[in-house]
Amino acid sequence: MSETPLLKVSSLSKFYGSRIGCQNVTFELWPGEVLAVVGESGSGKTTLLNCLATRLAPSAGSVEYRMRDGQFRDLYRMSEAERRFLMRTDWGFVHQNPADGLRMTVSAGANVGERLMAVGDRHYGKIRATATDWLGRVEIAEDRIDDQPRAFSGGMRQRLQIARNLVTSPRLVFMDEPTGGLDVSVQARLLDLLRGLVNDLGLAAIVVTHDLAVARLLSHRIMVMKDGHIVETGLTDRVLDDPQAPYTQLLVSSILQV
Amino acid sequence: MTELATYNFAYLDEQTKRMIRRAILKAIAIPGYQVPFASREMPMPYGWGTGGVQVTAAVIGPDDTLKVIDQGADDTTNAVSIRAFFQKTANVRVTTKTTEATIIQTRHRIPEAALQAGQTLVYQVPIPEPLRFLEPRETETRKMHALEEYGLMHVKLYEDIARHGHIATTYAYPVKVEGRYVMDPSPTPKFDNPKMHNSPALQLFGAGREKRIYAIPPYTEVVSLDFEDHPFEIQTFSQPCALCGAKGSYLDEVILDDKGGSMFVCSDTDFCEDRQAEGQLSANPAEAAE
C-alpha cells in the first residue's frame, strides 16, 4: 500500500431537511484497500456512498480524491464535466439492481464497450475484443456477447455490470449491496470473483452492505454506521471478532447461525 | 411591393417571426446546437412539417422563389399542400427547379443538383435529438450535448455491427458538425450526408412538435460518425434509374403491378425530368414505358 491515501473524506454531512442522512463522517481510503460500510437499513450507508460518488451533493464537508497526476482535488469543486469524466474512467459504481447500472436494451458487448467508446475508442474490432476478454474474466460465456442483459440471470447481470465498470481499469469502485437479491450459491461465486478481481487489479473499493458475511469476505477495514453516524471503525476481523461499541456487539450477535 | 404589404407577410405575425428568427440566428451561430423556440400551432398536423413551415415562413420574403419537396418529389401531397400554402399566404413565386429556387423546403431528401451559395434548404424534422432512443431523459441528453459526451452514439453503431455485420442505420444517420455537436440530419437517407459537408447553401432544421431549431451555416464541416474499421459508406444501387438512366442518384422502388414487378427511379423528380428533357433516356425504354 502506498503512503498517501486515495480518498480523503472530512466531516461529510448530508441532511434531508431536519433529518440526518449522515453526519460528520471522516475517513481516508488507501489504494488497494477495500472498505466495508455496514449497518442496518436507514443508517445512512447509501447516502454516504452517494455523497462520495458525487451522485448526491453533501450538505457540508469535503471529499478529496487523488487524481492520476498525484494531485488531490475536491470533488465538489471540480466542474461537472471533470466529475463525469472521472466517474466513467477512474471510478466504477456497481448498483444493487443491475438494471440501474446497465443499458438493458443493448447487447452485453455494447454494455462493456460503452465506456471505451465514451473515452474515444473508435475501433470496432478492438472494442469487441476487449469486451470478449472482460466477459471471460467475469465468467460469462463468449457466445452471449450479442445477447441483451434482459436475457441474463440476476447473477450474470451483476457480473456484466462489474465487467462494464472495470473495463477502463478504474482505481476506485463503489458498490451498493453488490450481492443483494442473489441466492447464496450465486452470491458465493460473485464474492469469489470480486475478491479475485480486487486483488488482481489492486482496486480500492467502498462496499456498502448489511450482510456482515460479505464484509468479512471482501473487506480489509469496516465502518459501522448507526443513525447517520459512524459508531465503530477498524480492521474487519477485529471489529467482527471483538466488537467494542454496544451497537456493533448487537449487530454481530444478530447474525443467524445455520 | 410596399412596406405595408410585407407586414405580417407569410402567415405568421411579426412577433412570432422575430422570435423564430432569433432562434435561427442563434442556431447558425452554434452549428448543430438545438435551439428551443416557442413553436406555434400551424394549420396542419404535427408530423406534416410544422417546424419546416415555421422556419420557411420566418425567412421567406416577397422576392424569394420557393420549392417544396417531399421524399425528393415535387408532386406528393405534403409538397403540393405546403407549396399551395405559401402561394396563398405569401404570394411568392414557386418552382420545381432546384436551380431556380432560393428557398427549398424539404422532407427526407437533399436535391441531387448541387446547391448554390445564396440558397436556403429548410428541413422538416420529426425528432431532433440524435440520442433520443438511447437516452430517454431530455435533461440527460442536454447535459450530454453540453459536456460533449457522445460515446453513446457509437454504442448504437456498435449494436448495428454486432447484429447485422455492418452499420445498418440508413437514414437519420448521426453527424458531427464542425467538430462539436452531434446532430440528427432528419430522416434523410445517409446517401445525402456527404452533401451536407461544406455545402455553400444555408441549411436550417425545424422541429415543430419538439420545438427545436438547428442549423448548418454554409461551408461547415459535417462528418458522419463511424468506426475506424467500419467506415461510413453511402448506399449504392445495382441499376441506373429506369426513367433517365442516371447512375449515382438516389433511387426509389416503384411497384408496377401485383405480380412482383417494380422499377427503380430517381427519388428527385426535378433531377430526373431534367435529364429526360435532355434526352438521356433509360437503356431499357420498354421498362420505362410502364
Side-chain angles (χ1 to χ4, degrees):
Chain A
M1 269 182 210
S2 96
E3 300 281 311
T4 40
L6 190 63
L7 193 72
K8 285 199 278 196
V9 182
S10 49
S11 332
L12 192 73
S13 302
K14 173 71 190 174
F15 301 101
Y16 299 104
S18 58
R19 223 166 285 134
I20 296 169
C22 61
Q23 196 172 18
N24 220 4
V25 176
T26 301
F27 71 94
E28 288 176 340
L29 184 78
W30 272 265
E33 184 187 35
V34 181
L35 174 73
V37 182
V38 301
E40 58 193 20
S41 60
S43 61
K45 307 187 296 280
T46 302
T47 297
L48 173 64
L49 191 75
N50 285 337
C51 285
L52 297 176
T54 71
R55 294 159 53 81
L56 192 66
S59 314
S62 73
V63 186
E64 283 180 281
Y65 180 71
R66 186 156 58 81
M67 309 294 283
R68 285 193 189 237
D69 61 7
Q71 296 297 311
F72 276 99
R73 297 283 306 274
D74 188 331
L75 296 177
Y76 290 96
R77 290 192 182 171
M78 287 162 112
S79 70
E80 192 174 12
E82 286 176 298
R83 259 198 321 254
R84 285 171 67 113
F85 184 75
L86 195 67
M87 279 196 83
R88 62 173 193 264
T89 53
D90 224 15
W91 288 6
F93 196 103
V94 177
H95 294 261
Q96 175 172 11
N97 178 6
D100 295 339
L102 293 172
R103 288 195 191 277
M104 298 304 277
T105 52
V106 302
S107 69
N111 263 294
V112 179
E114 181 178 342
R115 276 178 162 228
L116 295 174
M117 294 182 249
V119 295
D121 223 325
R122 293 289 178 267
H123 192 284
Y124 175 81
K126 286 181 198 157
I127 293 168
R128 196 170 170 85
T130 314
T132 312
D133 175 48
W134 268 101
L135 289 183
R137 288 165 85 163
V138 296
E139 298 165 20
I140 294 174
E142 204 176 302
D143 60 353
R144 303 297 301 270
I145 188 167
D146 290 331
D147 290 351
Q148 293 184 0
R150 284 194 289 213
F152 285 7
S153 69
M156 280 172 80
R157 287 181 190 183
Q158 198 57 286
R159 278 179 277 143
L160 179 63
Q161 198 193 171
I162 289 164
R164 173 184 160 89
N165 274 291
L166 297 187
V167 69
T168 48
S169 14
R171 295 191 299 160
L172 174 60
V173 178
F174 300 97
M175 298 189 212
D176 190 5
E177 306 272 7
T179 59
L182 301 177
D183 57 51
V184 282
S185 57
V186 176
Q187 252 190 50
R189 263 179 76 195
L190 188 75
L191 286 173
D192 210 35
L193 178 79
L194 273 176
R195 201 151 61 147
L197 287 172
V198 166
N199 271 335
D200 293 349
L201 304 170
L203 285 177
I206 297 178
V207 185
V208 159
T209 180
H210 62 263
D211 189 339
L212 293 180
V214 170
R216 168 87 87 178
L217 269 170
L218 274 183
S219 69
H220 306 118
R221 212 150 54 94
I222 203 166
M223 262 178 6
V224 184
M225 286 188 80
K226 168 111 174 73
D227 299 332
H229 293 86
I230 292 178
V231 294
E232 185 165 3
T233 173
L235 294 176
T236 303
D237 289 341
R238 201 279 294 157
V239 172
L240 293 182
D241 293 338
D242 179 21
Q244 306 283 314
Y247 175 72
T248 317
Q249 290 170 358
L250 176 80
L251 200 67
V252 170
S253 61
S254 313
I255 301 174
L256 293 176
Q257 301 295 330
V258 185
Chain B
M1 225 178 262
T2 63
E3 276 296 300
L4 197 62
T6 56
Y7 192 76
N8 284 351
F9 179 76
Y11 193 75
L12 295 175
D13 62 277
E14 292 305 311
Q15 284 306 312
T16 300
K17 282 194 281 189
R18 181 180 144 101
M19 172 272 294
I20 295 174
R21 285 170 188 160
R22 287 174 71 119
I24 292 173
L25 287 175
K26 183 168 179 181
I28 293 170
I30 317 171
Y33 172 70
Q34 299 167 46
V35 184
F37 79 111
S39 176
R40 299 289 193 251
E41 295 272 331
M42 296 303 282
M44 50 167 46
Y46 285 135
W48 284 60
T50 52
V53 164
Q54 287 178 77
V55 170
T56 303
V59 298
I60 202 166
D63 302 331
D64 276 311
T65 307
L66 180 71
K67 170 182 163 83
V68 184
I69 50 174
D70 172 7
Q71 308 270 8
D74 294 279
D75 52 4
T76 50
T77 316
N78 197 237
V80 168
S81 40
I82 292 175
R83 194 161 57 228
F85 175 80
F86 281 111
Q87 267 180 304
K88 190 170 178 180
T89 60
N91 194 28
V92 290
R93 265 178 298 144
V94 296
T95 181
T96 60
K97 298 267 172 253
T98 302
T99 46
E100 288 171 13
T102 55
I103 297 174
I104 304 169
Q105 182 171 335
T106 177
R107 171 173 177 267
H108 298 194
R109 270 317 302 282
I110 298 174
E112 301 289 355
L115 297 176
Q116 303 303 319
Q119 287 185 309
T120 303
L121 190 58
V122 178
Y123 296 76
Q124 301 168 200
V125 182
I127 296 163
E129 180 50 71
L131 302 161
R132 176 59 66 239
F133 291 108
L134 300 149
E135 176 52 67
R137 290 166 293 179
E138 175 70 18
T139 48
E140 186 66 17
T141 54
R142 278 196 215 180
K143 196 167 281 181
M144 290 161 86
H145 281 295
L147 302 178
E148 225 178 324
E149 286 179 9
Y150 290 129
L152 199 53
M153 210 67 250
H154 275 85
V155 170
K156 178 180 154 53
L157 302 179
Y158 173 98
E159 277 296 275
D160 265 4
I161 304 173
R163 275 189 213 164
H164 306 286
H166 59 97
I167 297 178
T169 304
T170 53
Y171 66 96
Y173 193 101
V175 293
K176 194 166 211 175
V177 182
E178 205 62 19
R180 177 59 179 86
Y181 283 97
V182 165
M183 189 194 90
D184 182 345
S186 88
T188 51
K190 66 178 172 184
F191 182 88
D192 287 339
N193 274 16
K195 294 181 196 166
M196 306 172 84
H197 175 64
N198 271 340
S199 169
L202 171 64
Q203 303 174 72
L204 302 174
F205 299 77
R209 180 183 49 210
E210 303 289 326
K211 301 179 172 51
R212 294 288 183 279
I213 285 173
Y214 51 105
I216 303 176
Y219 304 107
T220 300
E221 182 190 64
V222 179
V223 179
S224 303
L225 300 181
D226 59 3
F227 284 105
E228 286 160 17
D229 47 346
H230 286 266
F232 173 77
E233 281 169 353
I234 60 171
Q235 293 103 327
T236 53
F237 298 89
S238 53
Q239 61 215 71
C241 169
L243 295 178
C244 73
K247 293 170 186 159
S249 70
Y250 189 78
L251 305 182
D252 281 339
E253 185 177 12
V254 178
I255 306 292
L256 298 173
D257 51 39
D258 58 1
K259 299 182 194 69
S262 69
M263 66 175 182
F264 284 87
V265 298
C266 292
S267 96
D268 185 338
T269 52
D270 171 53
F271 175 77
C272 198
E273 281 161 11
D274 271 0
R275 282 177 57 88
Q276 289 177 64
E278 287 167 17
Q280 306 217 31
L281 291 177
S282 161
N284 183 0
E287 196 186 355
E290 281 283 349

